Amino acid sequence: MAASTALLFLSPTFASAAPDVVVSIKPVHSLVASIMKGVGEPSLIVEGAASPHTYTLKPSNARALENADVVFWVGPGLEAFLDKPLEALPKKAKVIELEDAPGLTKLPFREGGAFEGHDHGEHAEAGEDNAHDHGTEEASHTDHAKAEHADDHGHDHASEEAAAAGDNHGHEHGGTDMHLWLDPSNAKAMAAEIAKSLSDADPANKAAYEANLTTLNAEIDALDTGIAAQLKPVLEKPFIVFHDAYQYFEKHYGVRVAGSVTVSPESMPGAERLSTIHAKIKELGAACVFAEPQFEPKLIGVVTEGTDAKSGTLDPEGGALDAGPALYGELMRNLATSMSTCLSQ
């Protein structure tokens, strides 16, 4: 008995256990994992190459959410599948909607002119020119979701701070483009909100979170400088995208997007649709057309056939990358490399 007591007092003192943290998508998970280095590891919901636009919650995801102390997501305009499950979580869960982080630059969807109705690719019907328009739909869905996600559900919104700073635009202008992380300045704003939220939930490890935030900010600054230098030679080369998801990246670095075309990854466009796309590529003088990993090379080849445009692949959500702290930097560098390689041909 005495020996056991002595051993008890000789045991090392451990810091309090890290909170149970669940994150929606890979880019956000990477930021959270960076802030939690040395403290704990967050769980990821949308794994592998799955898309948040079409994801269906698995039983294992539901269990992880039920046990979570803190949940990070971008918001209902991106991860609509989490809307109701998060609303039903126990009150102990602190839910952080990062689209409300103070200091974010928010951009509305681009519609009209050279930009076809915003579509995530999965929803377009082959041969149709009238792509499914997510602008007003996502705006109304986001507003409806925010009305339901009151603080008595345990949701922690930074909307009051954002509104005070004048950063409440976007929702009333056709919906906010939710690919916020593609602007490094936004990634830093999101990281700051992540560190603050974790520190509030886990004060014992606040110093670690703040130190990791300082390190991450320096890494993002270095990443930003490198990408800007890499893209400088191709800034004037126009390009077209299949999925209009890159305007945060475009505006931050000054690359020249000419427009978008809506193509379904599941089926080949009809002859009339292809003729329209080919004419558009030629009219806009696109040097390159960028698809995403889910598009077959054959389909990409058919879309650019008969034009001078080259083709490339962009992966805005890191579907082809391993989850973890390094993913955000890899994702951004890969976008820059794909653009500079294709546009310099």
Side-chain angles (χ1 to χ4, degrees):
M1 190 86 171
S4 298
T5 304
L7 286 172
L8 179 65
F9 282 106
L10 287 171
S11 298
T13 302
F14 293 96
S16 63
D20 195 336
V21 179
V22 177
V23 188
S24 59
I25 61 171
K26 281 182 170 181
V28 175
H29 177 269
S30 181
L31 299 176
V32 175
S34 294
I35 300 296
M36 292 187 71
K37 272 185 181 178
V39 178
E41 295 184 7
S43 300
L44 173 63
I45 294 178
V46 183
E47 297 180 309
S51 168
H53 307 304
T54 57
Y55 193 77
T56 300
L57 205 65
K58 300 175 183 176
S60 58
N61 300 147
R63 286 193 296 272
L65 288 171
E66 287 170 6
N67 294 326
D69 298 308
V70 184
V71 180
F72 291 102
W73 68 322
V74 180
L78 182 71
E79 309 102 318
F81 72 92
L82 279 175
D83 194 2
K84 290 183 179 178
L86 289 181
E87 186 182 351
L89 283 184
K91 294 194 179 203
K92 74 154 191 163
K94 184 180 180 72
V95 179
I96 313 300
E97 195 169 306
L98 288 171
E99 72 160 311
D100 289 332
L104 285 179
T105 294
K106 293 184 182 180
L107 301 171
F109 284 124
R110 296 182 285 207
E111 302 288 352
F115 293 92
E116 297 180 3
H118 184 81
D119 186 84
H120 297 303
E122 298 91 343
H123 309 292
E125 292 296 332
E128 286 189 357
D129 291 302
N130 56 332
H132 184 58
D133 185 346
H134 286 274
T136 54
E137 176 187 321
E138 290 197 18
S140 61
H141 176 70
T142 302
D143 292 339
H144 170 71
K146 283 186 178 294
E148 290 190 347
H149 285 308
D151 285 344
D152 61 354
H153 288 297
H155 289 255
D156 180 22
H157 295 301
S159 53
E160 293 83 3
E161 296 174 59
D167 189 20
N168 59 354
H169 62 286
H171 294 298
E172 66 273 23
H173 296 298
T176 300
D177 184 335
M178 299 291 277
H179 299 84
L180 300 161
W181 61 90
L182 296 181
D183 180 337
S185 299
N186 279 353
K188 290 174 69 174
M190 294 165 80
E193 183 67 11
I194 289 164
K196 176 183 180 298
S197 300
L198 289 172
S199 296
D200 290 346
D202 180 24
N205 288 306
K206 181 178 180 180
Y209 297 136
E210 291 181 344
N212 287 339
L213 175 62
T214 299
T215 299
L216 178 58
N217 283 338
E219 291 173 353
I220 292 176
D221 286 342
L223 172 74
D224 189 17
T225 300
I227 290 175
Q230 184 176 4
L231 291 173
K232 190 174 181 180
V234 296
L235 293 183
E236 297 305 314
K237 295 285 190 73
F239 61 89
I240 286 175
V241 293
F242 279 11
H243 177 192
D244 185 21
Y246 308 96
Q247 62 172 326
Y248 290 101
F249 189 93
E250 296 157 14
K251 289 183 183 297
H252 184 82
Y253 292 110
V255 290
R256 188 181 166 195
V257 64
S260 66
V261 294
T262 301
V263 184
S264 167
E266 283 88 17
S267 53
M268 201 68 71
E272 185 177 347
R273 176 63 177 150
L274 274 175
S275 177
T276 301
I277 291 173
H278 291 159
K280 184 173 186 176
I281 292 172
K282 292 175 182 177
E283 178 188 350
L284 295 175
C288 199
V289 176
F290 290 105
E292 292 183 11
Q294 68 268 28
F295 288 88
E296 293 291 336
K298 181 181 177 182
L299 187 150
I300 301 170
V302 168
V303 167
T304 57
E305 188 177 9
T307 75
D308 294 329
K310 307 298 183 184
S311 63
T313 301
L314 301 175
D315 184 6
E317 290 155 11
L321 302 176
D322 292 333
L327 177 138
Y328 181 73
E330 292 174 8
L331 183 159
M332 295 292 284
R333 278 189 290 270
N334 286 352
L335 290 180
T337 298
S338 292
M339 284 190 182
S340 62
T341 300
C342 189
L343 293 172
S344 61
Q345 293 182 43

